[in-house]
Structure formats: C-alpha cells, structure tokens
C-alpha cells in the first residue's frame, strides 16, 4: 500500500447514453463496477474518495465545485480533498481495472513528474491517471475557471510534466487492453 496515494473514483456522470443509470451500480460478472474498482484499488492506496452527486456509504464523497464541469470538475473536487501528495483518478465506468494497472501507474510516479498518463495511438486516456496534487490542483482550477473542460487536454497541453505509459507497456500485462474498456451504451454490457 502506498500511503502517499489516494484514489478518486469519478462516479458523477449523467450516463445519458445509458438512460441516466448510475454506472457504478451496473453488475458485471456478479459484482458492481464500483465493487470491482474498490477491489482493484484497495491494496494500493491510502484512501478511496468518490466524486458523486450523492453519498456512497463507507466512502468520503466530494461534489463538483462547478455545475456541468464534467469529469474535470470531479477531478478538481478530488484534488481539493486529497490528503496525500498523489491522486489516482479513475472513471467510474471501467469494470476491468486491475491491481496490475494500478501498480504500473504508481510505479511511474517520481520527483520530476507531475502526472502519469496513458496514451494509446498517440491519444491520452484522461480518466485513468495519477496526478501530483500540488502541481495539478492549480492547473485544473485555472482550466475550470476559463471553461477549458476537456479532460484529455489536462495531460496533453504541456502544462504538466507527464510520464506516459504507452500501449506496449499496458499490453505487457493486458494483451487485449481490457483494463481501459468503459461502459457507455447498453451493448457494452
């Protein structure tokens, strides 16, 4: 367990393509997506925080600081609440996240890094990353203030020193990249 890392599960999306259902409560192979994520994170982080519009029993929950700010607003809330130097961010609709992914991301944290991100075919996967709180919090707050809400730009715009994991690094422990799969439409289930 890393006492210097908290995790943030982003569970506040509107899920419009799924009829507004709470994705975290969807059952995949006998467990909810949320239960699966908690199991993958628990052994590696000091605390799991949930960004959601409602309380989740047993977890500290945070609310978006701005309405309709999307995932970036949830990240801002998590960064503001973090009691550790690092915050691992995870979209709440990814049922196949594994401890191996969590450990691989955390292995890239270093003094000269502000964030650890994943890039597939040159494109960032913005909702599974690790952020240095002191470096990222002011950047995220400034982006929210100016309405720059695209989460993928947070890691890609050059404001932060990012250590990137590429496709080959992920395929080494997950050949199908199943860990990055997210549930967006009913057919995904």
């Amino acid at each position: 367990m890393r006492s210097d890392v908290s995790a943030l599960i982003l569970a506040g999306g509107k899920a419009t393509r799924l009829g507004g259902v709470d994705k975290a409560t969807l059952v995949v192979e006998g467990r909810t997506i949320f239960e699966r994520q908690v199991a993958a994170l628990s052994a590696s982080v000091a605390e799991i925080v949930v960004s959601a519009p409602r309380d989740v029993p047993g977890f500290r929950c945070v609310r978006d600081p701005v309405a309709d700010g999307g995932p970036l607003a949830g990240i801002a809330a998590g960064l503001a609440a973090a009691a550790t130097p690092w915050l691992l961010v995870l979209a709440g609709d990814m049922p196949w996240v594994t401890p191996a992914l969590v450990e691989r991301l955390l292995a890239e944290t270093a003094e000269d890094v502000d964030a650890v991100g994943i890039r597939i075919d040159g494109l960032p996967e913005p909702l599974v990353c690790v952020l240095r709180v002191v470096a990222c919090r002011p950047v995220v707050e400034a982006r929210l203030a100016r309405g720059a809400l695209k989460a993928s730009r947070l890691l890609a715009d050059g404001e932060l020193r990012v250590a990137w994991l590429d496709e080959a690094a992920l395929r080494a422990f997950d050949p199908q990249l199943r860990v990055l799969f997210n549930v967006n439409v009913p057919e995904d289930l």
Side-chain angles (χ1 to χ4, degrees):
M1 197 249 315
R2 292 264 309 255
S3 61
D4 63 335
V5 180
S6 297
L8 173 70
I9 297 176
L10 296 169
K14 295 179 180 174
T16 53
R17 292 179 283 178
L18 274 171
V21 69
D22 181 357
K23 290 182 182 182
T25 65
L26 294 173
V27 175
V28 175
E29 294 184 354
R31 291 188 300 170
T32 67
I33 293 175
F34 184 77
E35 290 168 335
R36 298 172 68 83
Q37 290 183 329
V38 168
L41 293 165
S42 292
S44 300
V45 300
E47 178 185 25
I48 297 173
V49 177
V50 181
S51 172
R54 77 228 156 277
D55 287 341
V56 177
F59 294 89
R60 187 160 59 109
C61 295
V62 295
R63 307 292 190 263
D64 293 358
V66 267
D68 299 319
L72 198 64
I75 293 170
L79 288 166
T84 57
W86 293 95
L87 183 68
L88 188 150
V89 176
L90 181 60
D93 62 358
M94 301 174 75
W96 305 113
V97 170
T98 64
L101 173 64
V102 172
E103 290 304 317
R104 187 65 183 89
L105 285 164
L106 296 181
E108 296 299 318
T109 60
E111 284 300 316
D112 62 343
V113 170
D114 297 325
V116 178
I118 294 173
R119 254 192 315 220
I120 304 296
D121 292 330
L123 299 174
E125 296 286 335
L127 301 182
V128 64
C129 62
V130 184
L131 306 174
R132 181 186 300 276
V133 174
V134 70
C136 295
R137 185 176 177 186
V139 172
V140 170
E141 289 172 352
R143 294 177 81 74
L144 278 178
R146 68 178 184 267
L149 303 179
K150 194 159 178 69
S152 62
R153 301 304 322 158
L154 174 63
L155 300 181
D157 279 353
E159 295 173 275
L160 301 170
R161 301 171 296 170
V162 181
W164 292 103
L165 291 178
D166 63 11
E167 185 172 337
L170 294 180
R171 286 193 188 276
F173 64 87
D174 182 5
Q176 286 77 41
L177 297 181
R178 195 174 189 195
V179 293
L180 298 180
F181 179 79
N182 57 4
V183 176
N184 287 314
V185 295
E187 294 77 28
D188 291 339
L189 291 170

